[in-house]
Amino acid sequence: HQSATIGTAWSAEEGAARARRLFAEHIGGGPDGVWAAPGRVNIIGEHTDYNNGFCLPIALPHRTYVAARRRDDDKVVLVSQLDDSVLTWEGTLDEIAPGAVTGWKAYTGGVAWALRQAGHDLGGFEAALVTCVPLGAGLSSSAAVECGVGLALADLYDLGLTDSDPGRTDLVNAARAAENEVAKAPTGGLDQTASLRTIEGHALLIDCDDWSVRQVPFNLHAADLELLVIDTRAPHRLVDGQYESRRRACEDAARILGVGSLRDIGDLGAAVAALDDEEMANRVRHVVTENDRVTQFVKLLDTGRIREVGALMDASHDSLRDDYEVTCPELDTAVDAARAAGALGARMTGGGFGGCAIALVNRDSRNEVATQVANSFRNAGFVHPEFYVVTPGPAALRVQ
Ligand code: ADP
Ligand code: MG
């Protein structure tokens, strides 16, 4: 069987050069600078964010690069290169608002609206965007654009938000508002927090109750490990309402159990016994055990036991498959094949019903794991998956 190809991220130099080239070709002249913001992958802690629980994402080495220039008027020019097509938009700041722009313009320009809503004084700008974050794969290309443009604007207009964690938290809120209110995608703040507040070489423990964070050393290289991301490219199925129904079950359960959120459940056995609805009890069991797995995972990382985290990844996937019921045949196949090929642990990541799985692998067995996963997809008649090897990269930053 042929071996699978594994995609790598652009270097900062390559990304910046591509962004500058696009800027020169479609806007003209040179930008004031180039900024880069990463996508993210969640290592463990799934469907816990809206239950005020814990999650543990890393910033990807895959980033969106934004070459931008300040203007003296209120004009806005947006250019984005996606594969072989170049998207362009020209307008004014006032024309970027909920209902006025949709789609890619909302994701890229919406943060300007959100920063102005938050009281910041902005003028016009020109921005050329290029990205090596795969779009729509669940690796948060949307947060990468929002955070990249947001950071560029904060720097160009000296908003004082780029160099401190409180400032970056304001940027998280603006990026999230762009996604929720302008792009109309009802997502939480996990993606933007990972993109803006992570330190290279670390996973970010996020407490989704108060959005406090802690940097947890995640040194794969020192342990001869790699993290393989498997984009299943599963077709979007009719999953409308599945996310909402899970959310509602969690809220209903919290109300029945008399807790503010499922995060506050102390005694899982008692909670499960108090619920008549078996499905609801299963949902609760996932959330409570998943929060516990995040805590255990972090404890292993804190004590230099990174090679022992695989069992927690496996347990997370099994819980998402059996109790939360958000996996799909492609995700289960990817995880099963990765484990069979020697991965230390594997799980789906993101919302589920498609998107990506991750596998923790010994460096020298990465190609074998990818090849076995690709073979199992071929045997099952699924489309060919994409593979990425990732390391914990830095948060959004100015690269030039
Ligand atoms: P994900 O965040 O998992 O990649 P989403 O559906 O949340 O998937 O976001 C994908 C959307 O974000 C795209 O359809 C597009 O509208 C927008 N987007 C992402 N990256 C870019 C980019 N570089 N240029 C323009 N639009 C982008
Ligand atoms: Mg997204």
Side-chain angles (χ1 to χ4, degrees):
H1 46 247
Q2 86 218 61
S3 66
T5 48
I6 295 178
T8 48
W10 296 337
S11 68
E13 292 70 31
E14 180 177 2
R18 285 174 183 257
R20 281 182 179 275
R21 208 176 311 135
L22 188 70
F23 193 99
E25 275 172 25
H26 291 269
I27 298 170
D32 293 332
V34 182
W35 292 260
R40 62 92 191 97
V41 69
N42 195 24
I43 306 301
I44 195 160
E46 220 64 76
H47 287 277
T48 46
D49 56 344
Y50 52 84
N51 289 300
N52 296 3
F54 303 106
C55 54
L56 190 72
I58 61 167
L60 293 176
H62 299 76
R63 303 190 280 189
T64 294
Y65 292 81
V66 183
R69 183 167 65 196
R70 187 176 155 147
R71 286 185 65 101
D72 295 332
D73 55 18
D74 68 347
K75 211 176 148 189
V76 175
V77 180
L78 298 170
V79 180
S80 182
Q81 178 152 31
L82 297 173
D83 295 325
D84 292 330
S85 66
V86 176
L87 310 167
T88 59
W89 183 81
E90 285 191 34
T92 62
L93 271 181
D94 287 336
E95 289 175 65
I96 302 173
V101 286
T102 56
W104 76 274
K105 297 163 292 228
Y107 283 101
T108 52
V111 68
W113 171 84
L115 286 168
R116 293 174 85 208
Q117 283 295 111
H120 295 291
D121 201 12
L122 286 187
F125 63 99
E126 296 150 319
L129 288 84
V130 296
T131 189
C132 65
V133 184
L135 263 68
L139 299 176
S140 211
S141 69
S142 59
V145 277
E146 296 146 16
C147 296
V149 175
L151 193 76
L153 289 176
D155 223 351
L156 287 176
Y157 281 95
D158 294 318
L159 304 184
L161 303 177
T162 59
D163 295 336
S164 70
D165 194 57
R168 281 175 173 255
T169 303
D170 286 351
L171 278 177
V172 166
N173 293 332
R176 182 183 175 180
E179 178 143 344
N180 293 167
E181 292 172 54
V182 188
K184 312 265 185 222
T187 54
L190 190 167
D191 304 349
Q192 296 84 3
T193 300
S195 187
L196 282 161
R197 298 177 67 190
T198 311
I199 291 178
E200 187 167 13
H202 294 73
L204 191 70
L205 175 62
I206 306 177
D207 182 334
C208 300
D209 190 24
D210 61 3
W211 295 96
S212 59
V213 301
R214 179 157 82 76
Q215 311 289 338
V216 184
F218 190 52
N219 195 339
L220 296 162
H221 189 78
D224 288 327
L225 294 173
E226 284 187 340
L227 194 68
L228 184 68
V229 175
I230 305 157
D231 177 5
T232 64
R233 299 173 67 226
H236 283 287
R237 296 189 179 77
L238 293 174
V239 294
D240 283 0
Q242 295 285 356
Y243 179 80
E244 267 316 304
S245 73
R246 299 295 182 291
R247 255 191 111 121
R248 206 171 326 109
C250 291
E251 284 165 14
D252 290 348
R255 197 172 326 107
I256 293 166
L257 296 169
V259 290
S261 71
L262 297 187
R263 179 242 182 79
D264 296 327
I265 289 176
D267 183 343
L268 176 59
V272 165
L275 295 169
D276 297 329
D277 183 334
E278 193 185 328
E279 188 178 274
M280 186 183 280
N282 290 344
R283 306 294 189 243
V284 169
R285 187 184 308 109
H286 166 71
V287 173
V288 173
T289 59
E290 184 77 353
N291 276 327
D292 188 47
R293 282 186 287 271
V294 178
T295 305
Q296 290 182 51
F297 197 107
V298 167
K299 202 170 285 172
L300 289 175
L301 292 184
D302 278 337
T303 52
R305 294 161 69 192
I306 191 171
R307 295 192 63 88
E308 294 171 46
V309 301
L312 292 167
M313 296 171 71
D314 289 346
S316 170
H317 183 84
D318 296 352
S319 176
L320 288 156
R321 181 191 61 212
D322 300 335
D323 281 341
Y324 222 64
E325 298 181 275
V326 291
T327 68
C328 63
E330 288 86 348
L331 286 169
D332 292 334
T333 297
V335 164
D336 290 345
R339 290 176 185 167
L344 278 70
R347 58 180 294 271
M348 59 154 273
T349 181
F353 301 109
C356 293
I358 53 173
L360 186 69
V361 298
N362 285 309
R363 194 182 305 141
D364 57 13
S365 68
R366 168 240 286 176
N367 290 338
E368 178 62 18
V369 172
T371 300
Q372 291 301 336
V373 171
N375 285 341
S376 66
F377 269 53
R378 197 174 308 118
N379 292 338
F382 301 150
V383 295
H384 188 71
E386 299 279 351
F387 298 96
Y388 307 95
V389 172
V390 301
T391 48
L397 79 171
R398 182 173 187 159
V399 291
Q400 283 184 358

